[in-house]
Amino acid sequence: MSPSPSGRLGLFWLLALALLAVVGSRESQLRIGKAINIFLRYGYLGISMRVIPMNDNVESERWIFKEPTKNIYRNLSGLAESHEDTTPGIFHGDFHMEFCDNRRQLFQAYFRDFTVERMDKPWEAFTGGWFPDTAAKKLGINTSFIQGDYSYVLVRVVRFRETGKLNADIPIEQQLEPEVRARMEQLKIGNLTSAVGFIESVGTHYVSSYTTGNSLFQVFVYSRKNFKMIKERIRSKGLNALSKLDLYNYFAPWFAEHLGQIRSASANATVERWARRKLQYEYYVVKYVTLLKLHGNSTLLRSLDTLLGNDAILQLDLKSLNVVFREHPEKESWFHEVLDNNMKLWELNMPQNHASR
């Protein structure tokens, strides 16, 4: 591509600002087959998707997805399926922990279930703009523990509510929306302006699958030595083979360097207050709050089940809009070149990718 990287990046910033001005006039829903433009918030997708605590004021309006979206195909509902897990008395979710050698792995672990096609590191679409203090607040830990020679264990309890996905590939004969077809036909090979015009009016990706619900999570910070010890012990014997005493010792203030706050993915204050009250553990004179108290406790899990609503996105799979160009392979190749180049540019320009920061 002949245009300079800085020129392309500046052009996309202008487009992003223009699109943000008209967000209110466009539909915004998390639905299968809907197209979005990831360049609107690349590196900051968490601003408009409720995936991690926002740390801002409590809002009167509850939302989980604010990105402007657009239908690309007509009558796509026959290819999509969705279901809700609402059976009373059953906790529809899981309890898991992930071992992270450093903060990059911690970010990756939190966004493991988020994929963006043609991105090698999809978590950076959400965390690319995180400075250390921002990351620490979102993850519920002190800023001093997001930098330095630390390792982490991410413990999370997830409650699934609604799942949607495409149950088959989109047929090549599926009818495009008229505006999308017109934009596809206007795209000219080698013409950057026409490719940008397509992205501006249609998008870059479409929603292939999603899961909504909510979760509680807690980050435990360790020295390298203690992290290696707990990692090897749990991986060799398995979590269920450890006694409750072992678990409480490994995840206690005297073994971990720091115990993060228990946070809700949606920043639900009611759920977080419940956690601080119900998940308190006392060992002699030491009191602390730990998510490990939920492990194997069906009574507490059932109680939590009634509190965790459908307030956050837990999984999201975005596919490239190459599907629109399947009958025009040369246009498809040009669209991908523009898409790939600009994703790499934004990735390189995110603050956390600068060694000095």
Side-chain angles (χ1 to χ4, degrees):
M1 294 175 63
S2 57
S4 68
S6 59
R8 286 199 302 272
L9 187 59
L11 181 57
F12 271 104
W13 268 113
L14 291 174
L15 288 173
L17 292 173
L19 279 170
L20 285 172
V22 298
V23 163
S25 65
R26 296 181 62 177
E27 184 179 12
S28 180
Q29 293 181 356
L30 185 64
R31 291 290 182 267
I32 297 301
K34 291 276 191 175
I36 71 168
N37 177 5
I38 66 168
F39 290 123
L40 274 174
R41 323 234 189 215
Y42 192 94
Y44 303 89
L45 290 184
I47 294 174
S48 52
M49 301 182 192
R50 196 178 291 277
V51 293
I52 197 165
M54 298 289 290
N55 296 298
D56 49 13
N57 295 329
V58 177
E59 301 177 5
S60 57
E61 175 193 2
R62 299 303 297 175
W63 55 271
I64 62 172
F65 192 77
K66 277 188 174 179
E67 282 304 308
T69 61
K70 192 178 189 69
N71 286 322
I72 53 176
Y73 284 101
R74 289 187 166 186
N75 305 317
L76 200 61
S77 58
L79 294 176
E81 62 181 48
S82 64
H83 71 274
E84 292 188 53
D85 294 313
T86 57
T87 307
I90 299 176
F91 184 78
H92 299 274
D94 66 9
F95 181 104
H96 64 270
M97 57 178 63
E98 296 205 42
F99 295 86
C100 311
D101 291 332
N102 50 52
R103 69 174 183 176
R104 289 294 184 92
Q105 288 188 10
L106 178 61
F107 298 166
Q108 181 181 0
Y110 189 92
F111 290 100
R112 190 173 304 285
D113 293 324
F114 291 78
T115 59
V116 182
E117 190 174 24
R118 306 189 74 80
M119 284 188 64
D120 296 330
K121 302 174 183 177
W123 62 91
E124 290 189 350
F126 296 89
T127 67
W130 286 5
F131 288 92
D133 57 340
T134 305
K137 288 179 181 179
K138 291 182 183 297
L139 294 169
I141 60 179
N142 293 342
T143 303
S144 59
F145 293 105
I146 203 69
Q147 296 176 300
D149 195 25
Y150 295 109
S151 297
Y152 311 88
V153 177
L154 172 66
V155 179
R156 184 157 44 180
V157 179
V158 181
R159 202 302 185 190
F160 307 115
R161 288 282 177 182
E162 180 185 356
T163 300
K165 64 178 181 178
L166 282 172
N167 55 30
D169 292 336
I170 300 175
I172 197 167
E173 66 273 9
Q174 192 78 23
Q175 188 176 8
L176 288 167
E177 291 287 348
E179 181 186 350
V180 176
R181 175 164 289 280
R183 286 292 183 176
M184 183 268 292
E185 292 174 348
Q186 291 168 11
L187 187 139
K188 296 180 176 60
I189 299 167
N191 187 306
L192 180 62
T193 301
S194 66
V196 169
F198 179 90
I199 290 173
E200 176 189 9
S201 60
V202 180
T204 59
H205 292 75
Y206 69 92
V207 178
S208 177
S209 68
Y210 68 87
T211 300
T212 57
N214 209 338
S215 69
L216 283 179
F217 68 90
Q218 186 175 19
V219 176
F220 295 80
V221 185
Y222 293 90
S223 66
R224 296 290 188 184
K225 178 183 177 181
N226 284 358
F227 176 77
K228 184 178 180 181
M229 183 188 303
I230 184 177
K231 182 178 179 180
E232 291 178 351
R233 178 73 186 275
I234 291 181
R235 287 195 171 176
S236 63
K237 293 185 175 295
L239 182 63
N240 293 327
L242 298 180
S243 67
K244 281 192 174 182
L245 182 59
D246 284 336
L247 280 178
Y248 284 128
N249 280 331
Y250 285 142
F251 292 86
W254 52 84
F255 192 82
E257 294 289 316
H258 175 62
L259 273 62
Q261 303 170 30
I262 295 179
R263 301 301 313 270
S264 159
S266 67
N268 187 313
T270 300
V271 176
E272 292 178 358
R273 283 195 299 270
W274 177 92
R276 288 193 295 270
R277 187 176 68 254
K278 294 290 188 178
L279 303 183
Q280 188 175 106
Y281 183 74
E282 184 173 354
Y283 186 81
Y284 292 103
V285 296
V286 180
K287 291 183 180 180
Y288 59 97
V289 177
T290 173
L291 207 55
L292 269 295
K293 197 169 181 180
L294 283 171
H295 180 62
N297 192 322
S298 57
T299 301
L300 281 176
L301 285 172
R302 283 195 297 269
S303 178
L304 179 62
D305 187 81
T306 63
L307 294 175
L308 289 178
N310 201 27
D311 305 327
I313 303 172
L314 305 175
Q315 176 272 332
L316 184 64
D317 182 18
L318 298 178
K319 297 291 187 184
S320 166
L321 280 177
N322 70 300
V323 64
V324 172
F325 299 96
R326 284 179 296 178
E327 296 182 86
H328 308 275
E330 292 184 348
K331 287 188 175 184
E332 180 181 8
S333 178
W334 170 241
F335 173 75
H336 275 165
E337 183 178 347
V338 174
L339 183 62
D340 289 350
N341 283 358
N342 279 281
M343 284 197 297
K344 288 180 174 61
L345 283 170
W346 283 66
E347 200 168 36
L348 289 172
N349 280 277
M350 283 297 106
Q352 75 169 27
N353 293 319
H354 291 272
S356 61
R357 300 179 181 178

